[in-house]
Structure formats: structure tokens, C-alpha cells
Amino acid sequence: MRTSRHAALPYTRRIAAASAATIATLALTMGTVTTPALAQDLVPQSDKEAEKMVEDRQAEDSSSLNRSNVPEGVSVEQAKKAIEKSDEITTADVEYAAALEDLPDSGVPEDFYTTPATLPDKNGGVVKQVTSKFYLDPAKLIEHSAKSETFMYKTTDEEGTARAATATLLTPEGANEDAEDAVVIAPGTQGIADKCAPSRQMGMGTEYEGISVTSALAAKRPVVVVDYVGLGTEGAHSYLNRVEEGRSVLDAARAAQEVEGSSINADTKLQLRGYSQGGQATAAALELKKDWAPELNVVSASAGAVPTDLYKTVSELSSVYTAFALYGVDSFARQADVDMTKHLNQKGLDAVDRASNQCTIEALVSNAFLDTDNLTKDGASFQELIEDNFLEVADKQKLGQAEIPDIPLLVNHSHLDDVVPFALGKELASTWCDAGHKVLFRDNLGPTHIGGYIATVPRIEIFTNRTFAGNAPVDSCWRL
């Protein structure tokens, strides 16, 4: 067994791998997360190497693993689990697979995400915390200087069940001992598997929200990055469930005040921000705040490319993004208690199962242009499947229908967004204007969903600095 493959990886291959992952992120992300970039190391570089890899994989047998052929620092049990978990990981890749399982370099061991027998009584109560790491690149050559603490806290799901969720608090060098202001980031789509949680991805250097995180940290203010209920911890992640996302954001903001060493307190001015799924979570948190967390000192919010109407979003979703439809079907079926074996053929069941265990870039690549008509027993499209079975679930996620705090609001959206229809973003801004709020609506021409995301980052920081200073933003309501 070739146990030293990663240790001996040439420097040029490492840089190439990192570059490839970065390009893939910018090209394919939709508010999405890359698969761990070191997976690029597993791609064969020649036909001969590809043939050898196939032979190796055909000859896999986890029972052959023992202490003599497993890399140092990896238990035999971990190695066997890695081999048996996926036919895409060979014995030669055990060290990488174990790192993916336990993220030892992030400082967050796998057992940290295990929910204890009892949880605090109050939502936002801290359960435990651990020092973690935030890498800016997938080759782990650049670690951000901010102090990073990953913490677990108590929240409550839509059914009223107490749940443990996780988040990460980053405190930049030079920050005040008592933070005057802080940013709470609700991340875009990560996937629905536990390995895709931002707190795990940040430790791997593969979290695309690093763009927004580093931008906020540059202003010397603390940043909280939310994982969402069931993303990292036990239990299912109810993808695009507005109640659970909104509560996760608000309770993470509460818990950040209790994290040992935190500079955030009850008087700290907070901004909630997010894009795509994160924009939905931010808007949901605003709608829930009055009843769920009235004490939080939220003074502004930024919501980008918000899928305010999931049915309209799915209806116009390009086949490039079939992975998101697969995520939605998996999540909606659980929320609606629908048995998908009655609607999907074996190919469809396999596609949903595969996507549910992939982070978003991997899922996008694996399922791009997949014809969903071929996944159902009666030849219906996923859009028809949602119309027939999940409209009630989708309608419950609609935004823009509830009262929100009277604070400065930024809504941003690209005319060229190919995931969330531009009309939804403009409609949300108009709705908030009609309710009497001051709304800064920033449209742009960023190509695709991710282009729109990148284009908004500088504008968000200007808006953030102005609102934290007590200045009202330019009001766009007159032109909506």
C-alpha cells in the first residue's frame, strides 16, 4: 500500500491542485462549497495512472488493513471506515480520507459534533467549544490570523424538538476587548451531508464563504459563521427550511456572547448577512426575531439573491443545477413524510442518495444536465413531482410576508443570476419598502449566481461600515 502518497506530493502538484479547486469554485459555485481540494490529488494524470488506479480500486479490501500498512496518526478502524464508505477512496488514499472524516488539522475532532445527553434549557446556550483553524486555501498554506473557536449551542427545530447546532466565532487580531459591532454570516448552500458544514470546511481551506468572512474580519470586527441545524451535527439538515435556518442564525448570535473568550456582548451591534440560501436564512431570521430573539441588538442586515419563493426558483432552475433539485427532493420528502420509493425509480433513488452525501461542487459536477424525467417512475419531471407532493412544504418557506425589525436593509441581486430569478430579489426589496423600511437595493451584472455574489462583497462592507456608524443608507424605494 502506498502510504506516503500525500507526504511525497510534489509542490507543483499541490499548487496545481489548489488552483484547480479555486477555478472550480468560481466557475461552479452557486452559494456553494467545493469538495475538499486535495481530492484533486486523486485525479489520474495519465492513461497509465488511470488504469493503475482502476486496478487498485478493483482490488480493494478493507480487511487487509492493519497497523503495519495504515499511516501514522490514523487508526485501523478509521482506515477501514474510509475504505468501506466509498468506492472512490482506495487504501492508498486512507490518510486523505481520514482527514476528511475527522479534520484533525482543523482542531475539531469528529466527536465534538456528537450531541450530549442533555442540552441547556435556553436557546443559544453554549454546550461546548473547541479551538479550530481557518485556512484561506485548500493546500493549507495560508492560515488566517484570526482566533477561531467552533462552538455547539442549543436551538429548536420546526417541530419544537431541542437540537444541537454548531457555528464558528472568529476574532481578528487587533479587535477591541469589548466588540462594538460584529457580523453574523448565514452561509449559502453547502450540501446536506455533515462533512459539508462550514466549520469543517473552514478547517480544510475549502469554504467559499471565506471571501465574505475575510472581508468582514478586515474591519477588525468579530464574525460568526453559522452551520445550520443538522449540518455537522446529528439529525437531518432540512435544506431551505426557513424556520430552522432563521433560528440557527439567531441562536448562534446569542451563543456567541457566551463563548469563552468572546468579545461579543449584549450591547454589541450585530449585522446579519447572507447570500442565496444564506440570504433566505437572513431574511427568515429577520422575520422570526421579534418573537424568537427580541433582545438581540441587530442594527442592519444584508440579504442577497434570496429564494423567496422556492417553487418559482425550482421552476426556472437550469439543468446545470440539478443537484439543488436533488437536495430539495431529499429534504422536502422528509419534511412532508413522503415515501420517494413510490415516485422515483432506482436510478432516481440512487441519484438522490448520491447527491445527499456530496458537498455542492461535487454534486453539481456529478449531476449536471441530468434529465430528471428519467429518474421518476412515470416520467414526470422534478418540477411536476414538487407540484404534486411538496407545494405545501415549499409554500411554508415563502418570505416577505411577515414583520421585520425597523433597521437599514441591503438587498443585492444580479440581473444575470441563473439560479434565483432576479425578479424575486427586486420583489423582496419592494415588499420591504412598502412596509415602510429603508432599503438599499443594489442590482448588478455579475455573470451567473456566483458572479453576482462576488460583485456584492465590496458594496456590503461599505453598507456595513455606514450602518454600524449610525448612518442611514441611500434609500432605493423611490425606484422600485
Side-chain angles (χ1 to χ4, degrees):
M1 177 170 131
R2 296 166 292 155
T3 58
S4 61
R5 180 174 178 180
H6 281 288
L9 188 65
Y11 178 77
T12 53
R13 283 277 302 282
R14 288 178 66 87
I15 295 300
S19 300
T22 301
I23 292 170
T25 304
L26 296 180
L28 296 172
T29 303
M30 93 118 283
T32 58
V33 65
T34 63
T35 51
L38 286 181
Q40 296 288 335
D41 301 344
L42 309 184
V43 177
Q45 305 298 306
S46 66
D47 290 342
K48 185 175 181 180
E49 185 174 344
E51 292 174 2
K52 181 63 169 65
M53 183 173 288
V54 171
E55 292 176 1
D56 287 346
R57 289 178 176 172
Q58 290 175 338
E60 287 175 6
D61 181 4
S62 62
S63 64
S64 68
L65 297 177
N66 54 56
R67 187 65 269 166
S68 67
N69 57 17
V70 171
E72 184 178 354
V74 178
S75 70
V76 175
E77 184 178 345
Q78 281 178 318
K80 289 184 176 181
K81 182 179 179 181
I83 295 304
E84 293 168 353
K85 185 173 182 179
S86 171
D87 60 6
E88 296 181 355
I89 300 176
T90 73
T91 51
D93 304 315
V94 169
E95 189 169 11
Y96 166 74
L100 186 59
E101 284 289 325
D102 291 337
L103 303 187
D105 288 341
S106 75
V108 184
E110 181 69 22
D111 60 6
F112 176 82
Y113 293 92
T114 301
T115 302
T118 58
L119 294 172
D121 292 332
K122 65 178 182 178
N123 289 305
V126 173
V127 179
K128 52 186 171 180
Q129 67 183 82
V130 65
T131 299
S132 51
K133 295 182 179 181
F134 173 31
Y135 287 101
L136 302 180
D137 66 306
K140 297 185 182 179
L141 300 177
I142 307 172
E143 183 180 357
H144 198 284
S145 60
K147 177 186 176 183
S148 179
E149 290 285 325
T150 295
F151 59 95
M152 178 180 285
Y153 61 96
K154 185 242 182 175
T155 188
T156 302
D157 66 20
E158 187 176 24
E159 301 301 320
T161 303
R163 298 281 294 275
T166 48
T168 301
L169 169 63
L170 296 118
T171 306
E173 290 184 336
N176 294 330
E177 188 170 325
D178 292 313
E180 294 183 6
D181 40 59
V183 170
V184 181
I185 295 178
T189 299
Q190 307 287 302
I192 58 178
D194 285 341
K195 66 181 180 181
C196 306
S199 62
R200 298 177 186 243
Q201 295 289 341
M202 289 168 70
M204 296 294 289
T206 57
E207 176 53 62
Y208 79 94
E209 285 285 6
I211 299 172
S212 183
V213 174
T214 54
S215 179
L217 289 171
K220 302 300 181 183
R221 56 177 59 104
V223 176
V224 179
V225 183
V226 183
D227 282 349
Y228 299 136
V229 174
L231 195 58
T233 49
E234 292 104 338
H237 168 50
S238 296
Y239 181 55
L240 298 177
N241 181 299
R242 58 178 293 278
V243 172
E244 296 187 4
E245 290 174 354
R247 289 177 179 178
S248 292
V249 170
L250 296 171
D251 290 335
R254 284 168 157 164
Q257 300 175 35
E258 295 188 4
V259 171
E260 185 177 349
S262 172
S263 60
I264 299 175
N265 55 54
D267 295 325
T268 300
K269 293 178 287 188
L270 303 175
Q271 181 195 73
L272 309 183
R273 73 165 66 160
Y275 186 88
S276 193
Q277 183 185 359
Q280 183 203 31
T282 297
L286 293 176
E287 292 187 352
L288 296 171
K289 181 185 181 301
K290 181 179 179 180
D291 293 328
W292 194 257
E295 81 284 2
L296 286 178
N297 188 23
V298 177
V299 301
S300 71
S302 169
V306 183
T308 56
D309 187 317
L310 297 187
Y311 176 70
K312 289 182 179 179
T313 300
V314 172
S315 297
E316 299 185 29
L317 192 64
S318 163
S319 60
V320 173
Y321 302 101
T322 301
F324 302 121
L326 295 171
Y327 287 157
V329 166
D330 180 87
S331 179
F332 291 176
R334 279 187 277 101
Q335 294 179 60
D337 195 25
V338 172
D339 182 1
M340 292 313 298
T341 62
K342 297 180 179 179
H343 303 282
L344 299 183
N345 56 32
Q346 192 57 50
K347 184 177 180 181
L349 293 171
D350 290 344
V352 170
D353 183 65
R354 179 177 64 248
S356 68
N357 287 289
Q358 295 172 323
C359 298
T360 309
I361 287 296
E362 184 182 2
L364 283 173
V365 173
S366 299
N367 300 286
F369 306 110
L370 186 63
D371 186 354
T372 60
D373 295 13
N374 295 326
L375 306 182
T376 57
K377 287 185 174 180
D378 60 1
S381 68
F382 269 22
Q383 180 180 342
E384 294 172 300
L385 191 64
I386 290 173
E387 287 177 354
D388 294 339
N389 299 277
F390 306 130
L391 274 185
E392 184 177 351
V393 175
D395 285 346
K396 286 173 64 178
Q397 316 313 326
K398 284 186 177 179
L399 295 166
Q401 304 179 99
E403 180 183 355
I404 64 171
D406 186 17
I407 58 175
L409 302 165
L410 170 62
V411 177
N412 49 75
H413 212 144
S414 170
H415 287 271
L416 305 179
D417 194 322
D418 56 349
V419 173
V420 180
F422 173 78
L424 293 183
K426 187 174 182 179
E427 182 181 22
L428 178 63
S430 180
T431 298
W432 282 346
C433 283
D434 292 343
H437 298 289
K438 286 189 175 181
V439 181
L440 173 60
F441 180 64
R442 287 294 191 186
D443 49 347
N444 63 73
L445 294 175
T448 75
H449 194 71
I450 183 58
Y453 167 68
I454 294 172
T456 65
V457 174
R459 293 173 175 178
I460 292 173
E461 294 308 332
I462 293 172
F463 170 81
T464 302
N465 292 333
R466 285 185 58 82
T467 55
F468 276 153
N471 299 317
V474 175
D475 193 345
S476 301
C477 292
W478 62 273
R479 64 183 178 87
L480 294 173

